Amino acid sequence: MIEEKTVNALPDLPPMTKNQVMDLAMDMGKILLKSGAETSRVEDTMMRFCRSYGYYDLNVFCTPTVIILGDESPVGKSRVFRVRWRATDLGLIRDVNRLSYNFRNWQMDYAEAKHWLQDRLAKSHPYGNGVLCVAAGLGSACFAMLLGSASIYNFVAAFLTGFIAMTLLKMVNNFHPTPFWENFLAGIAIGIVAQICCYLSPFCTMENIIVGALMPFLPGLAFTNGVRDYMSGDLLSGNSRIAEAALFALSIAIGLVFALKAWTWGGLP
């Protein structure tokens, strides 16, 4: 059995073995990728942490759905983590970035750093579903007002449309559908609720309501991360994220068109 040696490139850091460094680096990558960070940031953070301990034979390969941390030494091992779901939590990305850039100031050993990372890995979203649904409704209403029609009817209708669509999305999350069907159902909900509001009140403008309610569901973060991955040279991740953003936008559009057509097929104005 080969005895694992401890390497410490920076004297201020508490000593750790290679397996311990790989373990902490993988936890950092999990948190970042699950929180919506771009793949270039995930790779840079993990590599910076490994190299701060003098392990230059560790390499990272990351895509939007998998992280591979490999040891290039003759007796090295590799670790793979499959990402099943991703969300957006900029607070967790900030925390891990601060840790990776200022690890010497934290002075945490392996057990303390492991506990700190596991606590954030298991951390739930800072806002509950109720707050997210209300925020989606307010965002939809504000976007509808920005489109040029400062009407209280459009504000209320857009709020109800965005709120109901997001509520439906959170309800179907318990059945673990694919993102395509989630956005498809959101598009259907937006189309149906917007048409009901315009049917009940002649003062509502359907275009403003629909466009305003669509805004909280558009995959702007995925597209932005794809462009940033392109700029950093990660062509595979850039293609994947931009294709993901296009697929999400297409699924919302298909659901919206289906709702509009179903309304007219029912003989309603």
Side-chain angles (χ1 to χ4, degrees):
M1 184 175 181
I2 299 176
E3 182 180 356
E4 190 178 5
K5 296 181 179 180
T6 300
V7 178
N8 193 351
L10 300 177
D12 297 337
L13 293 175
M16 292 187 192
T17 64
K18 180 179 287 188
N19 278 335
Q20 290 175 338
V21 170
M22 292 179 69
D23 194 22
L24 295 181
M26 183 60 79
D27 285 345
M28 290 180 181
K30 292 177 185 178
I31 296 173
L32 289 174
L33 199 57
K34 281 187 172 184
S35 301
E38 59 273 27
T39 57
S40 56
R41 183 188 299 273
V42 176
E43 292 180 350
D44 177 69
T45 300
M46 295 175 67
M47 290 301 301
R48 186 187 314 112
F49 179 74
C50 293
R51 288 172 179 171
S52 66
Y53 275 92
Y55 297 114
Y56 289 90
D57 52 355
L58 296 178
N59 258 319
V60 181
F61 176 73
C62 179
T63 71
T65 56
V66 68
I67 302 174
I68 301 175
L69 178 59
D71 184 359
E72 297 181 352
S73 63
V75 294
K77 299 179 180 179
S78 296
R79 301 192 181 196
V80 180
F81 176 73
R82 178 74 165 84
V83 180
R84 300 292 179 181
W85 58 268
R86 297 189 304 277
T88 302
D89 195 330
L90 300 181
L92 289 179
I93 297 176
R94 177 203 58 198
D95 290 344
V96 176
N97 270 346
R98 286 179 177 176
L99 176 65
S100 65
Y101 277 105
N102 303 290
F103 196 77
R104 282 188 292 180
N105 299 330
W106 290 59
Q107 288 297 314
M108 290 191 295
D109 58 15
Y110 170 75
E112 294 171 337
K114 181 70 175 178
H115 176 76
W116 189 88
L117 290 170
Q118 287 294 326
D119 179 66
R120 276 145 185 79
L121 191 60
K123 182 181 177 182
S124 60
H125 295 295
Y127 308 107
N129 289 340
V131 176
L132 291 176
C133 294
V134 173
L138 288 175
S140 302
C142 293
F143 276 117
M145 299 293 285
L146 287 174
L147 294 175
S149 178
S151 169
I152 188 63
Y153 297 97
N154 285 339
F155 184 89
V156 174
F159 175 85
L160 291 175
T161 303
F163 176 81
I164 294 174
M166 184 60 72
T167 302
L168 177 63
L169 207 63
K170 296 303 178 183
M171 291 174 61
V172 301
N173 276 342
N174 297 327
F175 300 97
H176 304 289
T178 61
F180 178 88
W181 292 110
E182 285 184 355
N183 290 279
F184 176 78
L185 292 175
I188 291 179
I190 290 172
I192 292 177
V193 177
Q195 290 179 106
I196 291 175
C197 292
C198 292
Y199 180 75
L200 296 177
S201 173
F203 301 102
C204 293
T205 306
M206 184 178 298
E207 292 81 3
N208 292 359
I209 297 171
I210 290 178
V211 174
L214 283 175
M215 290 299 179
F217 298 92
L218 294 180
L221 180 63
F223 184 82
T224 302
N225 284 345
V227 173
R228 294 190 66 174
D229 285 335
Y230 261 129
M231 295 175 64
S232 63
D234 296 325
L235 302 182
L236 178 61
S237 297
N239 280 327
S240 301
R241 290 191 183 273
I242 290 178
E244 177 187 42
L247 182 62
F248 287 174
L250 180 63
S251 62
I252 297 175
I254 292 175
L256 179 60
V257 171
F258 179 82
L260 296 176
K261 286 295 182 182
W263 184 273
T264 57
W265 290 338
L268 296 172

